[in-house]
Structure formats: C-alpha cells, structure tokens
C-alpha cells in the first residue's frame, strides 16, 4: 500500500487533497517536522532533502509535493487533465513549483522567522509573491479551473499555498485577487477539502515553534561553516 509521509503544512496538504479527492488507499506515516523527525536517517532514505511530503509506492520513492502529484496523476489517470492540455498542465504546475510556492515560503521566512529584519529581503519576496498572485489572478479571469474545464493537480498544487495566503501576505490579502478568491472558494467548498483537513487530526504534532523547531526547520542557520 502507498505510504504517505505527512505533516500538516501547505505542501503535504496538497497530497492529502489529492488522496481525499481520488479515494486512493494509503497508509499515513506522521513525520513531526517541528521535532526534527525529517532529519532522521530513516526518513532521509525516503527523501534525502529532509522535507515533507514524500511517498513510497511499492518500493518506489517520490519526494517533493509537485512531483508526487504528477506521479500519482500519471499512475492513476486521475486529475491529469486531457492530453491536449498537457503543456498547460506542466507549465502551470511548474509555475507553482518554482514560483508561487517557494516565493511564498521565503516571504513567510523573512516576514515572520528571520532572526534579524532585512528590509530588502522582506520586500523582495513579498513583491515577487504578489506578482505571482497577479499572474494567477489574470489567468483565472472567466475560468473555473487553472487548466481545462475540470479539477486537476494544478488546482490542488495552488490550493495548498493559497490556503495560507493570510499568513503569507496578510489576513485580507485574498480579497486583493478577486479571481483567485472566487476560484479558491469553489475549490475549498469541495467535500474532499474537509477530508484533507481532517487528515492526521488524531495525531498530536508538536505545535510550539521554539528553539528546537527553529533548528529543525532552519538547520543551515545553526551550521558551522566548513572552510
């Protein structure tokens, strides 16, 4: 059975939504990233990059949320859009994988977690995150889905980060992008979203972002340079 290595962050939640939407059977394997469990040798054998999510599928390991979505869509034939839309699907999936997602993450870091305030970095990542939202908002004008006429892995990939826009750009930020807001509300109303949100609710994950959690999340900040 498929093993899903999970912590309830924006990237693992994408995979959670895919699994909820498709009903694919799986075993949930919790990885408490605030405790640093992603850095164990056992987990790094699944994902050498030491991040969640990851999956194991009959001996095949796949890591990075967008790679997992693409792998599962190709394997199952679900949420992969149509062959005619393959170019659009890959393009928008990579837009999220290399743009919207990482810039949102860096915006969060320099806004909320950086040990010292760096105005240039905070402004750089905030403005680039906003620019990516502008691109997506323009694309979603008169569209119900990002690619084609039905839900695809691209919508799922975007949902994972748009769901956290309040923490990334501010509580009322979504209203600045009316097409994204309309799209998000439609996706968010699907029954599968509630199922995804309930995934792992019975697991007691660490919640305090203390020094242990900071060292687990940002180990490079505490590493001694070997030069």
């Amino acid at each position: 059975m498929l093993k899903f290595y999970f912590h309830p962050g924006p990237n693992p939640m994408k995979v959670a939504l895919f699994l909820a939407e498709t009903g694919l059977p799986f075993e949930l394997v919790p990885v408490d990233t605030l405790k640093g469990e992603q850095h164990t040798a056992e987990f790094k054998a699944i994902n050498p990059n030491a991040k969640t999510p990851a999956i194991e599928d009959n001996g095949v390991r796949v890591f990075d949320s967008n790679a997992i979505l693409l792998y599962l869509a190709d394997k199952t034939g679900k949420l992969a859009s149509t062959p005619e839309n393959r170019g659009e699907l890959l393009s928008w999936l990579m837009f999220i994988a290399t743009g919207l997602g990482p810039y949102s993450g860096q915006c969060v870091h320099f806004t909320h977690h950086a040990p010292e305030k760096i105005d240039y970095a905070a402004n750089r990542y905030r403005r680039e995150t906003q620019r990516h939202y502008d691109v997506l908002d323009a694309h979603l004008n008169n569209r119900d889905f990002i690619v084609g006429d039905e839900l695809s892995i691209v919508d799922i990939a975007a949902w994972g980060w748009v769901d956290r826009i309040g923490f990334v750009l501010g509580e009322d930020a979504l209203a600045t992008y009316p097409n994204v807001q309309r799209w998000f509300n439609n996706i968010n109303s699907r029954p599968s979203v509630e199922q995804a949100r309930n995934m792992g609710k019975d697991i007691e994950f660490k919640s305090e972002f203390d020094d242990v959690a900071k060292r687990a999340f940002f180990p490079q900040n505490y590493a001694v340079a070997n030069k």
Side-chain angles (χ1 to χ4, degrees):
M1 179 181 289
L2 183 80
K3 290 184 177 180
F4 173 29
Y5 294 86
F6 170 82
H7 185 271
N11 287 317
M13 287 303 294
K14 303 174 190 176
V15 180
L17 182 55
F18 180 97
L19 294 171
E21 185 73 33
T22 61
L24 195 66
F26 65 95
E27 174 190 348
L28 192 70
V29 182
V31 179
D32 199 327
T33 56
L34 293 186
K35 291 181 179 178
E37 293 177 354
Q38 70 273 34
H39 299 298
T40 64
E42 292 78 10
F43 182 71
K44 287 174 76 174
I46 305 302
N47 183 358
N49 197 33
K51 295 180 183 293
T52 57
I55 63 170
E56 278 186 291
D57 182 27
N58 295 319
V60 176
R61 72 177 187 183
V62 189
F63 53 89
D64 185 277
S65 58
N66 300 287
I68 294 168
L69 292 176
L70 189 58
Y71 172 86
L72 291 176
D74 285 347
K75 176 180 177 174
T76 64
K78 297 179 179 179
L79 305 181
S81 194
T82 63
E84 294 78 13
N85 286 331
R86 184 69 172 182
E88 283 287 299
L89 181 136
L90 292 174
S91 297
W92 286 103
L93 187 64
M94 294 306 110
F95 168 85
I96 296 161
T98 66
L100 184 67
Y103 278 100
S104 294
Q106 292 300 321
C107 182
V108 167
H109 180 79
F110 284 104
T111 302
H112 299 288
H113 299 306
E116 59 186 78
K117 185 173 176 58
I118 305 172
D119 289 337
Y120 173 83
N123 182 70
R124 159 73 175 165
Y125 286 110
R126 181 177 184 83
R127 297 306 182 194
E128 271 298 281
T129 302
Q130 292 171 330
R131 187 185 68 80
H132 282 85
Y133 270 96
D134 284 334
V135 171
L136 185 59
D137 194 69
H139 176 70
L140 282 169
N141 186 41
N142 295 321
R143 288 177 173 270
D144 292 327
F145 302 100
I146 298 175
V147 174
D149 298 323
E150 57 186 21
L151 185 77
S152 76
I153 57 172
V154 180
D155 300 292
I156 289 176
W159 172 86
W161 275 106
V162 177
D163 189 46
R164 306 298 176 96
I165 191 175
F167 190 58
V168 178
L169 293 176
E171 185 177 347
D172 299 321
L174 189 57
T176 309
Y177 309 99
N179 294 316
V180 176
Q181 185 175 49
R182 171 184 49 78
W183 163 88
F184 177 76
N185 290 340
N186 288 338
I187 303 298
N188 218 35
S189 67
R190 299 176 76 91
S192 56
V193 169
E194 183 177 0
Q195 296 174 38
R197 293 194 192 282
N198 287 331
M199 203 172 290
K201 285 290 187 182
D202 57 337
I203 300 168
E204 190 174 343
F205 288 103
K206 178 181 171 73
S207 59
E208 184 182 2
F209 203 79
D210 56 13
D211 191 59
V212 171
K214 290 177 183 177
R215 287 177 177 272
F217 261 62
F218 314 123
Q220 63 275 20
N221 291 357
Y222 301 89
V224 177
N226 295 316
K227 291 185 178 179

